[in-house]
Amino acid sequence: MLTITPTGKILGATVTGVDLSRPLSDADFAQTLQALGQYGVLRFSGQHIDAAALRDFSLRFGPIQVGVSEGFRHPQVREVGILSNVTENGKPVGLADAGQDWHTDMSYRETVGFVNTLYAVKVPMRNGKAVGDTLFANMHAAYDGLAPEWKQRLAGMTATHDFNKFWENMRQNHASKRPPLTPEQRAQRPAVVHPIFMTHPITGRTVLYCNPGYAIRINEMSEAESDKVLDMLFQHQLQDKYIYRHSWQVNDLLIWEHIGTLHNALPDYGPGEQRMMLRCQVMTTPQVFEPGFVDRAMARGSALQ
Ligand code: SIN
């Protein structure tokens, strides 16, 4: 039986009473899914799992997206990505700058992202304190906090999301060493359109689904107006009052849902301060948005059909 202890902050809860090196029981899955909607970000601390166990746990929430950069996949378990600044024999062992600005994973896919699972193998420490924290922003609260006239004006509008926006932002503004996307990689990730407001499939509440990482245009506005309104939305959703900060410990398994949150991995550590995470990126399926999804998923112990 799981125990779920809320952080008492704008997001986040700690889950205890479970060993994720073994399959999660159906009842524990049901509790976890509900808590994900309620708290957005869940921390399972002190977990001792390998890449295969991370994949198996993640698959309970849906199909896993395999990243476009082959070099950063786990050598034995291709559904698991390695995020790391560690080098071996002069070569990077993982993607060094993944997620280092505000974004929502897989908003650039036609069926959007659902859940990330991130397992801390190495956490950089400075003066006895962890660095390389991850920030999260609460999009249930950001929607609730929008002025009524914006809720009305943007209802029914859509935004285009483009994978290349974040990629180029990293290259141009964050001195990333990642090469430009190849034409083949761009073809694998065409721009997509999503509503700006969505009904969250777990909570049934409205969320603001628009993020500075990938959203490039509000389609029902002129370009100039879209730029202004997107700037306003990005500033609004990243106010301190909506933000939660997770400070890592080795063997933390953090999971978060993407529809109601944004996140940002803080790059406040140097090359000698090693950080290594194993990650799975779980997609939604169309069934996630059908009425009764949560009840069915809880009953069968899996979000997959
Ligand atoms: C991510 O954006 O999935 C990475 C988050 C992190 O490394 O803290």
Side-chain angles (χ1 to χ4, degrees), residues 215-234:
I216 56 170
R217 177 74 192 261
I218 298 177
N219 300 306
E220 294 75 12
M221 291 179 178
S222 70
E223 196 173 340
E225 194 183 12
S226 161
D227 286 350
K228 261 203 253 166
V229 175
L230 281 179
D231 273 355
M232 179 282 291
L233 288 177
F234 299 155

Side-chain angles (χ1 to χ4, degrees), residues 65 67-69 106-109 161-169 178 181 185-186 188-192 213-216 281:
Q65 163 175 272
V68 290
S69 307
M106 289 94 76
S107 73
Y108 52 81
R109 301 295 302 273
H161 298 244
D162 188 350
F163 182 65
N164 196 48
K165 179 182 183 188
F166 191 87
W167 197 275
E168 279 303 313
N169 173 34
R178 48 175 98 183
L181 289 173
Q185 287 172 322
R186 289 212 67 176
Q188 279 175 40
R189 297 282 183 264
V192 297
Y214 297 111
I216 56 170
Q281 295 175 295

Side-chain angles (χ1 to χ4, degrees), residues 83 98-100 103 105 116 118 132-134 248 256 263-265 275 277 279 281:
L83 312 186
Q100 293 182 351
H103 66 292
D105 283 24
N116 260 25
L118 197 63
D133 293 355
T134 307
W248 290 91
W256 65 93
H263 64 282
N264 180 3
R275 188 178 194 267
M277 303 277 164
R279 178 179 75 174
Q281 295 175 295

